[in-house]
Amino acid sequence: KLKESMVATIRHEFTEAVSAYEEKPREQYLMDFPAQVALTGTQVWWVLEVGIAFGRLEEGYENAMKEYNKKQIAQLNTLINLLLGKMSKGDRQKIMTVCTIDVHSRDVVARLVQQKIDSGQAFLWLSQLRHRWDEALNHCFVNICDAEFKYSYEYLGNTARLVITPLTDRCYITLTQSLHLTMSGAPAGPAGTGKTET
């Protein structure tokens, strides 16, 4: 009963958060929702906005991805300025976590620009962990390469996140492809390097 209630509550919050993203400034949006919900909501919208930029590129607007990258940098600067002010410990942790993920998102888009990627079917984009909200099914899905997983709505809390490195990205691909093929994986290595978090 407890697990069912947890899943239902987080899924309901997701529904609210995904639809509310465009209604207010991003920094206000982040303060209005719990950390896990706000972070996933920003990830869903990152994927949507990159998709829109790809659409504009295909229509012939050459600077679409560059302009989106500038928008990302402005969003990051806003969050950094927010961190310089006074806020509760929980809110500070939430914003720092969003900043960590935003830096990776910014870097991904910068690589898309640098490598002149103009299609959403390019491996550089498909190999990213991409969250999407399905309106018809009212569910969050996580895609990477050709694998798709339904979000499990497990409560994760408001925790710190490690920086996402190229190795982390490769681990995501390897482990998700293994799960997609109904196999498993066992990361190995020194203590404190991010195996559990990955």
Side-chain angles (χ1 to χ4, degrees), residues 168-183:
T168 322
D169 278 332
R170 284 195 290 274
C171 287
Y172 288 163
I173 295 167
T174 306
L175 291 169
T176 52
Q177 287 299 297
S178 180
L179 287 171
H180 180 60
L181 298 169
T182 60
M183 299 167 101

Side-chain angles (χ1 to χ4, degrees), residues 96-108:
M96 284 174 25
T97 301
V98 172
C99 279
T100 302
I101 302 303
D102 276 1
V103 165
H104 179 255
S105 301
R106 178 206 61 194
D107 291 348
V108 167

Side-chain angles (χ1 to χ4, degrees), residues 30-71:
L30 294 173
M31 293 302 177
D32 288 351
F33 291 97
Q36 178 180 352
V37 175
L39 179 62
T40 308
T42 61
Q43 285 295 95
V44 167
W45 276 92
W46 171 62
V47 173
L48 277 170
E49 290 173 336
V50 170
I52 290 166
F54 274 130
R56 293 178 71 206
L57 277 172
E58 287 171 10
E59 290 169 5
Y61 191 72
E62 293 177 18
N63 292 324
M65 201 62 77
K66 283 182 188 170
E67 285 184 7
Y68 180 59
N69 195 225
K70 286 178 186 169
K71 178 183 176 183

